[in-house]
Amino acid sequence: MEIISTTHAAKQVDNNLLVFTHLSQLLTYVTGFGGFVVPLILWLVKKDQIVGMDEHGKSIINFQITMFLIALISVPGIFLFGLGILSLIYVGIVSLVVPIVNAVRASNGEAPSYFSTIKFI
């Protein structure tokens, strides 16, 4: 007698949701906090259902936390020789360009590539 378990559903391949997850980081420029909350919710809900969502979601959350910490450290750095302004410009440019590049990578089925990111998760 053979028992077949049907509790584990097959994961779906949904590159469009991965692209949307990467592009949802740009909500930071509109709402101020949506760029962290929306990808976090999508990752927590879909990480077991979509192929690659766990890897992409962890990369996005690590990237958002790292950019937040750099920006937070930059504010007092403004008073020290004005170097904080350079790092705030870096955060602004990188937070705009890198999610778009990774959205294109996700649409092609490639792994995300977030450079200068601290691995928290």
Side-chain angles (χ1 to χ4, degrees):
M1 181 184 292
E2 186 176 329
I3 299 174
I4 298 174
S5 175
T6 59
T7 57
H8 297 290
K11 289 187 172 185
Q12 299 174 347
V13 176
D14 190 0
N15 289 344
N16 291 332
L17 185 61
L18 294 175
V19 169
F20 178 74
T21 306
H22 285 285
L23 292 178
S24 67
Q25 296 177 75
L26 301 178
L27 286 171
T28 299
Y29 293 105
V30 178
T31 63
F33 60 87
F36 179 76
V37 174
V38 174
L40 178 65
I41 292 171
L42 287 172
W43 172 57
L44 289 175
V45 171
K46 296 290 186 177
K47 69 180 176 184
D48 295 329
Q49 299 170 2
I50 305 295
V51 173
M53 180 60 89
D54 193 39
E55 178 186 4
H56 286 265
K58 285 179 183 178
S59 298
I60 291 169
I61 298 305
N62 286 331
F63 177 72
Q64 287 294 319
I65 292 171
T66 302
M67 290 298 114
F68 175 74
L69 289 176
I70 292 172
L72 191 66
I73 292 169
S74 299
V75 173
I78 292 172
F79 300 113
L80 300 171
F81 309 113
L83 294 176
I85 294 173
L86 293 176
S87 59
L88 284 176
I89 292 171
Y90 169 80
V91 167
I93 292 172
V94 169
S95 294
L96 179 67
V97 173
V98 173
I100 295 170
V101 169
N102 280 302
V104 172
R105 290 177 60 96
S107 70
N108 294 333
E110 299 174 15
S113 174
Y114 286 99
F115 60 90
S116 70
T117 301
I118 302 168
K119 303 285 187 208
F120 292 103
I121 300 174

